[in-house]
Amino acid sequence: MNRRQFLAASAAATTPLSFAQAPSAAGRPNVILIMTDDQGYGDLSAHGNPALKTPNLDRLRSESVRFTDFHVTPMCTPTRSQLMTGRDALANGAMNVSSGRAMLRRGIPTMANLFAAGGYRTGIFGKWHLGDTFPYRPEDRGFQEAVGFPSSHIGSAPDAWNNDYQDDTYMHNGKRAPYKGYCTDVFFDEATRWIRASGDKPFFAYIPTNAPHGPLFVPDKYKEPYRHLAPALASFFGMIANIDENIGKLEASLTEAGLRENTIVVFLTDNGATAGFTFYNAGMRGQKTALWEGGHRTPLFLRWPGKKLAEPRDIDELTTVQDILPTLSELCGLAGPATGLNGISLAPLLRGVARVLPDRNVVIQFGRMNVGCPEYGDAVVLWKKWRLVSLSELYDIAKDPAQKDNVIEKNPALAERLRAHYDAWWAQVQPRLSSFEPVYIGAPEENPVMLSPTEWADSFFDQGVQIRTGLPRNGVWHINVVRGGPYEFVLRRWPKGVDVSLRAELPAHKGEWGGYPAGVALPVASAELSVAGRIVRQKSGAADKEVVFQVPLPEGRNRLQATFFDDAGRELCGAYYVYARYTGA
């Protein structure tokens, strides 16, 4: 790729090319979009949970239009990519939590692009999980303010080392910065501060919390009411209680600033139940990653107090996370994407001018963590109250909400029709499933760039705990060399900032609310770098903290692999961290 091609690709990644020009933003509603991580449908007291107390979420629910047959994907990255683009995960490229498949394809406009093009201030506060390096970062995809952390959770492989939910280091507009306080408090406080600074300009604030995703770290006062439950469940419910408290504080701030009446508030969660599903799952079968209802049915609340929505009520139409982008586009009077959407606008239902949606079939499919490329048939097809699971199980959830009775043999014609829909859908997405989004190296916007095992192609490795245990795994990075010329590659077993040798062990980390296990020693004696058809190897000494290679590279797409060996030449693992720097003029 030459410089001109690079600039064109960068523009495609960061500007809404398929948007028509939006009219003035004056008088438009503000939007706050809150999405929690790993909180299931049953993890609210208003949904019948017998232990958990969520008074502020319950109040928001009572004031909202509630979609009771709303579906996401059973995993976080694909849900987030569908939310941001209105397109199915296998169509937008971000279909897996890591394995090189968590980066949103360049050139696809995002919800933030849409709002920015419409004259809104745009900010994200929390978990992005659609790419950690240029041009995939939130600040590259339409967000003017971005505070959060890389990858899937605090404590992930590319996260700041020893981040533990309290007084952590987060990314602020592409740079690491320290923040005081508990993670969820920080993200809501930063969002509230930014919202209050908006002046007369409308804002779009996206608050995707990391909680209650594990590790289950939370201040004692929040889990104290649940001490009678199992420890993990007490911590999980405590994290939700803290989220609920922050939603109450946000509501108070909106009222104080006079913003409540003209602010649309949307609440949803990113997948089905996790820690709480064995305790209470609202009568559903399945949990996170499952294709049954408990894996992908979540809450969706939408409130706009001062404008033209019908009264708070339940809507039982089949709806999906892909519908949120076109819905907000219509409600806010924005120019939406011209083509490519899989979602439809729910605005007619919200305004009460329609009672039903057009007849639709919905396919839910994503990339499994330890499988790699999505496989034919690993999906659920939804139509009205029917669910075709894995092409071999058929359920009528109107009669059988727990999905205990597979009625596929009794309804062969319906099953065949839903299979035919899936086959046509699969034919559209399958051709690009082996196409990986590359990590850009040598881009002026981010040089050097840190490559982490999160982007290893079809090799699941995104957890800091996996780094600590020295997991014997390796993988290939797909890269795009922006500028041909000389490069420096620094291979490390521990990330920069951890000032120990390649062979060193690390003590266990104890934080205020939780900790991490010790880091095991690895007998690293040499390292190998394979890139652009070249393989170079170098020995390392007992005190070396890194191995450095100088390699010239041509422009364009390529592959890179880095490996550590012991003194007998046996492979130990991949180099978990590689820092790639263009060193030319």
Side-chain angles (χ1 to χ4, degrees), residues 254-520:
L254 291 175
T255 300
E256 179 185 345
L259 296 170
R260 187 178 185 275
E261 289 299 296
N262 198 33
T263 297
I264 297 171
V265 176
V266 182
F267 174 82
L268 71 157
T269 71
D270 70 341
N271 47 242
T274 53
F277 86 101
T278 58
F279 179 78
Y280 178 75
N281 203 24
M284 292 185 290
R285 178 183 180 183
Q287 63 184 109
K288 178 180 178 178
T289 76
L291 295 174
W292 297 298
E293 206 77 351
H296 47 82
R297 181 180 161 216
T298 72
L300 175 63
F301 309 150
L302 191 148
R303 186 192 70 193
W304 187 7
K307 297 297 176 179
K308 300 176 181 178
L309 299 187
E311 72 283 353
R313 66 202 186 282
D314 290 341
I315 292 179
D316 197 37
E317 287 289 286
L318 175 61
T319 51
T320 78
V321 67
Q322 295 93 307
D323 299 334
I324 294 176
L325 183 146
T327 299
L328 292 177
S329 176
E330 183 170 346
L331 291 177
C332 298
L334 303 176
T339 60
L341 292 186
N342 299 111
I344 59 177
S345 175
L346 308 179
L349 294 177
L350 290 162
R351 289 174 169 145
V353 299
R355 297 178 61 86
V356 297
L357 291 175
D359 192 56
R360 66 193 310 203
N361 297 288
V362 172
V363 177
I364 296 175
Q365 186 165 3
F366 59 104
R368 301 284 182 178
M369 287 187 293
N370 293 309
V371 174
C373 188
E375 297 179 341
Y376 172 83
D378 184 26
V380 55
V381 185
L382 296 76
W383 176 66
K384 296 185 177 179
K385 297 301 180 183
W386 292 93
R387 308 290 185 257
L388 180 66
V389 177
S390 302
L391 305 186
S392 60
E393 303 173 22
L394 184 66
Y395 301 98
D396 179 0
I397 63 165
K399 299 178 180 177
D400 177 27
Q403 294 178 288
K404 295 180 179 179
D405 186 16
N406 179 4
V407 295
I408 195 165
E409 293 184 359
K410 300 176 183 177
N411 299 273
L414 175 58
E416 185 56 35
R417 185 175 71 77
L418 296 180
R419 284 195 196 101
H421 176 81
Y422 175 79
D423 285 343
W425 179 89
W426 178 257
Q428 291 182 322
V429 299
Q430 191 273 334
R432 294 195 67 184
L433 293 183
S434 296
S435 174
F436 286 86
E437 287 298 297
V439 179
Y440 278 47
I441 68 171
E445 291 82 353
E446 189 177 15
N447 184 45
V449 61
M450 183 184 81
L451 287 74
S452 83
T454 297
E455 290 90 31
W456 281 347
D458 287 342
S459 178
F460 171 67
F461 197 128
D462 81 331
Q463 300 171 4
V465 171
Q466 293 172 307
I467 301 286
R468 292 173 184 271
T469 58
L471 188 68
R473 191 170 291 173
N474 203 346
V476 171
W477 285 285
H478 288 259
I479 62 171
N480 183 27
V481 181
V482 173
R483 292 179 283 185
Y487 280 82
E488 175 187 81
F489 292 93
V490 178
L491 280 57
R492 296 182 62 97
R493 183 260 192 272
W494 305 108
K496 286 189 174 182
V498 180
D499 196 28
V500 298
S501 77
L502 288 163
R503 303 181 186 181
E505 62 183 4
L506 288 181
H509 171 73
K510 181 173 176 54
E512 190 163 352
W513 315 117
Y516 302 118
V520 304

Side-chain angles (χ1 to χ4, degrees), residues 50-276:
L52 179 60
K53 304 301 179 186
T54 52
N56 293 299
L57 274 169
D58 294 353
R59 185 176 306 112
L60 174 63
R61 178 187 179 277
S62 70
E63 298 168 347
S64 298
V65 177
R66 305 168 296 267
F67 291 86
T68 59
D69 195 7
F70 175 75
H71 298 266
V72 297
T73 304
M75 188 89 76
C76 44
T77 284
T79 290
R80 292 162 201 277
S81 70
Q82 293 177 161
L83 174 68
M84 284 292 107
T85 68
R87 307 182 189 211
D88 294 342
L90 269 58
N92 67 48
M95 63 191 75
N96 199 324
V97 297
S98 69
S99 306
R101 295 178 179 272
M103 294 176 284
L104 190 63
R105 283 188 181 132
R106 295 152 292 154
I108 297 179
T110 70
M111 188 181 293
N113 290 138
L114 185 155
F115 276 104
Y120 278 67
R121 298 176 75 227
T122 57
I124 177 175
F125 308 90
K127 175 174 172 175
W128 171 239
H129 205 190
L130 296 175
D132 301 329
T133 59
F134 174 83
Y136 308 101
R137 305 167 300 180
E139 59 266 32
D140 305 319
R141 306 304 292 263
F143 285 102
Q144 300 149 1
E145 177 77 356
V147 178
F149 55 92
S151 196
S152 63
H153 62 287
I154 291 176
S156 68
D159 195 17
W161 195 252
N162 284 340
N163 265 3
D164 58 14
Y165 288 39
Q166 183 71 26
D167 297 343
D168 286 341
T169 295
Y170 300 129
M171 301 300 296
H172 179 219
N173 296 337
K175 304 293 183 182
R176 294 194 190 271
Y179 288 83
K180 300 292 289 184
Y182 182 66
C183 53
T184 308
D185 299 339
V186 168
F187 298 139
F188 272 92
D189 289 348
E190 288 296 308
T192 301
R193 175 196 57 76
W194 179 83
I195 286 169
R196 295 292 293 266
S198 293
D200 294 331
K201 194 170 185 180
F203 60 81
F204 166 56
Y206 178 33
I207 311 176
T209 65
N210 62 292
H213 191 291
L216 302 178
F217 300 162
V218 66
D220 291 340
K221 66 177 182 179
Y222 295 105
K223 61 185 177 184
E224 187 61 38
Y226 309 107
R227 289 285 190 188
H228 61 289
L229 303 172
L233 188 58
S235 295
F236 181 73
F237 282 174
M239 295 170 84
I240 295 173
N242 172 262
I243 292 168
D244 187 80
E245 179 182 276
N246 275 288
I247 287 175
K249 291 178 181 178
L250 177 63
E251 292 273 68
S253 179
L254 291 175
T255 300
E256 179 185 345
L259 296 170
R260 187 178 185 275
E261 289 299 296
N262 198 33
T263 297
I264 297 171
V265 176
V266 182
F267 174 82
L268 71 157
T269 71
D270 70 341
N271 47 242
T274 53

